[in-house]
Amino acid sequence: MISRPADRSEARALSPAPAAPAVPLFIGSEIYRGSSYGSRHPLRVPRVSTVMDLARVLGWLPAGRFRTSPRAKPAALAMWHEPDYIAALQAAEATGEATPEMRARYHLGTLANPVFAQVFRRPATGAGGVMLAAEHLARTHGVIHVPGGGTHHGLPGRANGFCYLNDVVLGIKVLQRHGLTRIAYVDFDAHHCDGVELAFAGDPGVRMISVHEESRWPFTGALADTAGGSAFNLPVPKGYNDSEARAVLQGLILPRVEEFQPEALVLQCGADSLLEDPLSRLALSNRAYLEAIRALLPLAPRVLVLGGGGYNPWSVARLWTAIWGVLSGQALPERLPDAAQAVLRALDWGGGGRAGPEPVLWSTLLDAPREGPVRSEIRDRLALLARR
């Protein structure tokens, strides 16, 4: 049984006094433009750079809202990652290859975690952006979007599941270092957040909620797994739809976040739970994500919104751009203007032989709703979690 949170006034007394709320910020980088894990990898597709382009042509990303992500230095990464692993990442980038020892010890140079031109700089930039956002939010109430963050599989001493560093863990640790004692983490990615759960298992100051596809890599996050009392895990069956996501939002996510009374809320918005994604069998529309975000925003004074998985370039770009629209108070168009459509039309799979998208994926921002029955598996699992 997870205990109720301490009185909120006690948490405030331990936390730094924040400045007035700031305008929402977007943290990005040009390193994502043209950076690829390689022509055979699912992350060969552009993602963050497309979100930046799409937001700009829509007029949603004026200079005052954008910050360039710094690159985290090895000393900062060592807040959670092992120094010898960080050094191995740098060496792999410098030489362009992984030695047999690197492959065996650090899982570098594998099919999942290849060595590519920016194998250290790109994840270090993602980590730097998330850590910068956490530093900012520790001092100022507000909302920050870092779509290049969300690498929730990274482990202290090795790459794992396309993730070389774990920027989620590093960001939460920065918030904790600044005195925040109640941090809620909600993960919408199709894959369980194994690295984040490892970092904060048994930590009463972090509440983790993960909704992910059952029987899917990394095969962690079982319904009975509480991470030492710090986590609620909900594996969901293939075909998970918007109606079921709403039931989960109302029956698990909102009540468990609200009762925790977080000082900060971190949302991992991996886009691989969308119907079009090639690496999951879930069936959400991007409206399900937006509904959840709108409902969660009022529950914490500080909100950090990250990206994560997502391997269809059109559905990722539309989702993360729409998320920024919600966070920054924009009216979301049903049909995109020509300049925005041109950004999406210019995308491709970068190889792999997949067919191009239906025209609706470049002419609209919002998906049609994908409602359906709320199956007994969902209802029964929610009932079990409600008794904890």
Side-chain angles (χ1 to χ4, degrees):
M1 183 75 176
I2 293 180
S3 61
R4 297 280 300 189
D7 185 86
R8 196 169 195 174
S9 62
E10 296 177 10
R12 285 199 195 102
L14 294 171
S15 303
V23 297
L25 294 178
F26 183 114
I27 296 178
S29 172
E30 287 297 314
I31 198 170
Y32 300 104
R33 193 179 304 280
S35 171
S36 167
Y37 279 38
S39 61
R40 299 174 62 188
H41 196 281
L43 280 176
R44 65 184 177 271
V45 300
R47 305 188 317 157
V48 178
S49 58
T50 308
V51 177
M52 292 161 53
D53 292 345
L54 200 52
R56 285 187 173 125
V57 299
L58 289 168
W60 295 356
L61 199 57
R65 295 283 184 95
F66 182 83
R67 298 289 184 274
T68 297
S69 174
R71 186 189 309 161
K73 296 181 179 179
L77 298 173
M79 184 182 297
W80 195 59
H81 289 285
E82 296 169 8
D84 60 337
Y85 170 57
I86 298 168
L89 264 180
Q90 292 177 293
E93 179 172 292
T95 63
E97 62 182 6
T99 65
E101 180 187 7
M102 289 178 183
R103 196 170 291 110
R105 183 173 178 183
Y106 305 118
H107 291 202
L108 296 175
T110 65
L111 288 175
N113 311 307
V115 173
F116 61 99
Q118 304 86 8
V119 70
F120 172 74
R121 285 174 290 159
R122 175 168 160 163
T125 299
V130 175
M131 296 173 85
L132 174 65
E135 293 273 359
H136 187 81
L137 289 172
R139 299 188 299 268
T140 306
H141 290 176
V143 178
I144 302 181
H145 187 29
V146 191
T151 54
H152 59 175
H153 297 306
L155 299 176
R158 66 175 176 87
N160 187 45
F162 310 170
C163 301
Y164 298 88
L165 300 170
N166 198 312
D167 54 67
V168 180
V169 171
L170 292 164
I172 292 174
K173 284 189 173 291
V174 168
L175 293 171
Q176 291 181 320
R177 186 180 66 185
H178 282 276
L180 274 68
T181 60
R182 306 203 67 76
I183 300 163
Y185 173 69
V186 181
D187 194 305
F188 297 106
D189 198 285
H191 303 84
H192 177 247
C193 50
D194 53 341
V196 182
E197 186 170 293
L198 173 68
F200 299 109
D203 186 338
V206 179
R207 172 162 292 185
M208 297 172 281
I209 302 172
S210 178
V211 183
H212 48 271
E213 186 176 353
E214 66 183 4
S215 303
R216 170 72 60 184
W217 188 94
F219 307 107
T220 54
L223 185 67
D225 173 18
T226 70
S230 295
F232 292 89
N233 281 301
L234 178 58
V236 296
K238 65 180 180 180
Y240 181 61
N241 62 51
D242 288 5
S243 302
E244 291 172 325
R246 187 173 303 113
V248 170
L249 178 66
Q250 298 295 332
L252 170 64
I253 298 172
L254 293 180
R256 293 305 188 175
V257 171
E258 188 168 17
E259 72 177 7
F260 194 66
Q261 299 180 333
E263 297 164 282
L265 173 62
V266 180
L267 305 179
Q268 201 271 18
C269 297
D272 44 8
S273 296
L274 294 169
L275 175 66
E276 297 87 1
D277 197 89
L279 295 192
S280 84
R281 299 165 298 177
L282 305 182
L284 294 184
S285 76
N286 58 20
R287 292 175 186 262
Y289 286 79
L290 303 181
E291 181 178 345
I293 289 168
R294 288 188 177 105
L296 284 161
L297 281 175
L299 300 187
R302 305 167 179 88
V303 183
L304 175 54
V305 183
L306 309 177
Y311 310 97
N312 178 309
W314 296 275
S315 60
V316 173
R318 292 164 73 249
L319 172 62
W320 292 351
T321 304
I323 287 173
W324 172 241
V326 168
L327 300 180
S328 57
Q330 311 295 334
L332 305 187
E334 292 286 341
R335 185 170 181 82
L336 288 168
D338 290 345
Q341 290 193 38
V343 171
L344 293 171
R345 286 174 184 268
L347 297 176
D348 60 45
W349 286 104
R354 290 184 180 272
E358 295 293 324
V360 70
L361 285 189
W362 66 60
S363 63
T364 65
L365 190 65
L366 296 173
D367 296 327
R370 293 164 182 163
E371 307 291 347
V374 179
R375 288 166 288 177
S376 59
E377 299 101 304
I378 301 289
R379 291 195 300 269
D380 293 346
R381 293 169 196 179
L382 287 175
L384 284 171
L385 291 174
R387 293 199 288 270
R388 278 188 34 205

